Amino acid sequence: MRRALSCSLICVAIALSSSAHTIFQEVYVNGVDQGHENGIRVPTYDGPVTDVTSNGLICNGVENPFQTPVSTDIITVAAGATVTAEWHHTLAGADPTDSADPVDPSHKGPVMSYLAQIPDATQTDVTGLKWFKIWEDGLDVSDQTWGVDRMIANKGKVTFTIPSCIPAGQYLLRHEMIALHAANSYPGAQFYLECAQLQITGGGSTQPATVSFPGAYSGTDPGVKINIYQTLSNYTIPGPAVFSCDGSSAPSSATASQPVSSSSVVSHSSSVASSSAPAASTAAAAAAHYAQCGGIGYTGPTTCASPYACVVSSEYYSQCL
């Protein structure tokens, strides 16, 4: 195990990346782009929330006021469909000349998605909502890479599945990444998050266990206060376990959001690494259902496991559908 870097090196890294922020600003449903900033409560500034007790931890909009008028679009998503969330450094969108797009590489940490049912997905008041986690991507201890690293490699995109068993209705999708480059003390971890407004159709009647924001995270959580400048043997992603319809700790499609490499495929959700590992031998030869299969800069498999086909979403992203 290599020694932790000195504080001076950590401080230099923090100083160099202090303004390298990011915003979740685009949604795709089954690979179809729903439009730039459509249906998302987008802030005017790409800065983080650092106080885990702030109401800004719900959907942002406190420390970083929302751009007005706030979108009144509600994105229709069938239960069981895949959703892709896209991050970029600024609201101008993808910028291949910007070394901090979609976020500065120093901002290592987990990426997560939550849902909360709400009477009206466009209502202003979001306090008191009950949230359940549907996806997460933390630390792969085998190579010390993070969910944020995989998001960057995928040009700002991460893909996950809406649970097929939850009730139809209006929801907020709270999509979040946590940057841990300054998290050796609290406050230091940087929480980046926005909420998308969804109408979920179909589904079932399962009511997941829920948590509240603020409240789900503590400043002393091991996934919030941590020195990442060392070789880590584990990492505990903040918040609850991932909900899945079959009662396991995470969806069986947890690997689907990650670009598939020729070496191996593992679940980067800390709670399901062992159960997902057997898929590696088959996914190495062909991209799995919902996995990336093409795009500028992509180096993984370009063919899909039968019966799926590689569908172009944009010049940066194609997916097995």
Side-chain angles (χ1 to χ4, degrees):
M1 179 180 295
R2 69 174 184 269
R3 293 181 180 177
L5 297 181
S6 67
C7 178
S8 60
L9 290 178
I10 293 173
C11 293
V12 168
I14 294 169
L16 290 174
S17 59
S18 60
S19 61
H21 305 317
T22 189
I23 300 176
F24 159 42
Q25 56 193 258
E26 200 125 354
V27 170
Y28 301 73
V29 177
N30 288 334
V32 179
D33 190 350
Q34 303 300 297
H36 188 58
E37 302 178 26
N38 288 353
I40 306 174
R41 303 180 182 208
V42 176
T44 56
Y45 178 61
D46 60 359
V49 178
T50 58
D51 178 3
V52 296
T53 68
S54 169
N55 279 346
L57 203 64
I58 306 172
C59 282
N60 214 330
V62 177
E63 292 84 349
N64 310 295
F66 290 133
Q67 180 174 268
T68 56
V70 176
S71 177
T72 57
D73 292 336
I74 299 176
I75 299 168
T76 299
V77 185
T82 60
V83 169
T84 299
E86 184 173 357
W87 297 84
H88 287 294
H89 185 192
T90 72
L91 287 176
D95 183 355
T97 68
D98 181 358
S99 62
D101 182 55
V103 69
D104 191 276
S106 67
H107 285 40
K108 298 182 184 298
V111 186
M112 294 165 278
S113 294
Y114 291 81
L115 288 172
Q117 196 159 16
I118 189 170
D120 177 359
T122 65
Q123 70 186 54
T124 302
D125 183 12
V126 294
T127 59
L129 296 179
K130 302 301 182 183
W131 299 88
F132 55 100
K133 187 188 288 181
I134 62 169
W135 177 85
E136 62 184 14
D137 183 9
L139 174 68
D140 183 341
V141 296
S142 68
D143 60 5
Q144 298 291 294
T145 58
W146 293 88
V148 169
D149 294 321
R150 287 175 281 280
M151 180 267 282
I152 292 172
N154 210 25
K155 307 297 184 184
K157 295 184 175 73
V158 295
T159 301
F160 44 89
T161 301
I162 300 297
S164 60
C165 62
I166 61 174
Q170 295 197 5
Y171 287 78
L172 290 181
L173 166 68
R174 179 184 179 276
H175 187 58
E176 171 185 36
M177 62 158 278
I178 306 176
L180 300 172
H181 57 290
N184 53 306
S185 62
Y186 177 82
Q190 297 182 354
F191 301 85
Y192 296 90
L193 61 136
E194 277 76 48
C195 287
Q197 300 159 177
L198 306 184
Q199 173 72 55
I200 294 179
T201 61
S205 58
T206 303
Q207 297 288 343
T210 59
V211 297
S212 299
F213 285 104
Y217 302 162
S218 165
T220 58
D221 286 346
V224 172
K225 183 181 178 183
I226 183 173
N227 174 16
I228 65 169
Y229 298 94
Q230 58 185 314
T231 299
L232 297 171
S233 60
N234 61 76
Y235 173 74
T236 303
I237 299 175
V242 173
F243 166 78
S244 71
C245 293
D246 64 6
S248 64
S249 58
S252 59
S253 58
T255 60
S257 61
Q258 309 309 331
V260 180
S261 70
S262 57
S263 57
S264 66
V265 176
V266 297
S267 169
H268 300 290
S269 169
S270 61
S271 59
V272 295
S274 61
S275 64
S276 299
S281 61
T282 57
H289 192 198
Y290 302 130
Q292 185 177 8
C293 54
I296 295 174
Y298 174 70
T299 59
T302 56
T303 58
C304 299
S306 178
Y308 307 111
C310 190
V311 177
V312 176
S313 173
S314 72
E315 62 182 327
Y316 296 103
Y317 189 75
S318 299
Q319 185 178 28
C320 291
L321 298 172

